[in-house]
Amino acid sequence: MFQSDAGDERRRQYDQRVLDEARMTGLYDDDIATVLCGRLPTEVVLPLRGEDADAYAESAVGELLVLYVNRWQGGPSG
């Protein structure tokens, strides 16, 4: 999806936007690293074609939170 130098810059912008949004949501850097397992956000949650960085960040953080809860916190309680 992200190709060429312009694509690389766009990917960096998307990745950074997700990291910023995740921190604003309350995830700590250790939590983010645990969910990403050494990968970039755009490798874990693929952006939709034509999706802008803000919309992507919002949806990606939601997906990362689900992964965090389901995989590392024992899933939802109740």
Side-chain angles (χ1 to χ4, degrees):
M1 173 173 193
F2 292 106
Q3 298 175 357
S4 79
D5 291 338
D8 290 344
E9 179 56 33
R10 184 173 173 219
R11 178 179 221 154
R12 279 190 288 276
Q13 290 173 356
Y14 277 48
D15 287 329
Q16 188 58 54
R17 185 66 189 95
V18 169
L19 297 174
D20 293 343
E21 183 72 19
R23 289 179 186 113
M24 288 176 39
T25 301
L27 284 173
Y28 294 104
D29 287 340
D30 288 346
D31 299 330
I32 296 167
T34 297
V35 173
L36 294 177
C37 298
R39 298 169 294 176
L40 296 171
T42 51
E43 294 172 323
V44 176
V45 180
L46 298 176
L48 300 175
R49 184 178 302 276
E51 188 173 31
D52 70 38
D54 289 335
Y56 168 68
E58 187 175 320
S59 64
V61 168
E63 292 293 324
L64 295 178
L65 285 168
V66 168
L67 287 172
Y68 180 75
V69 169
N70 285 334
R71 293 185 182 173
W72 290 279
Q73 297 300 314
S77 61

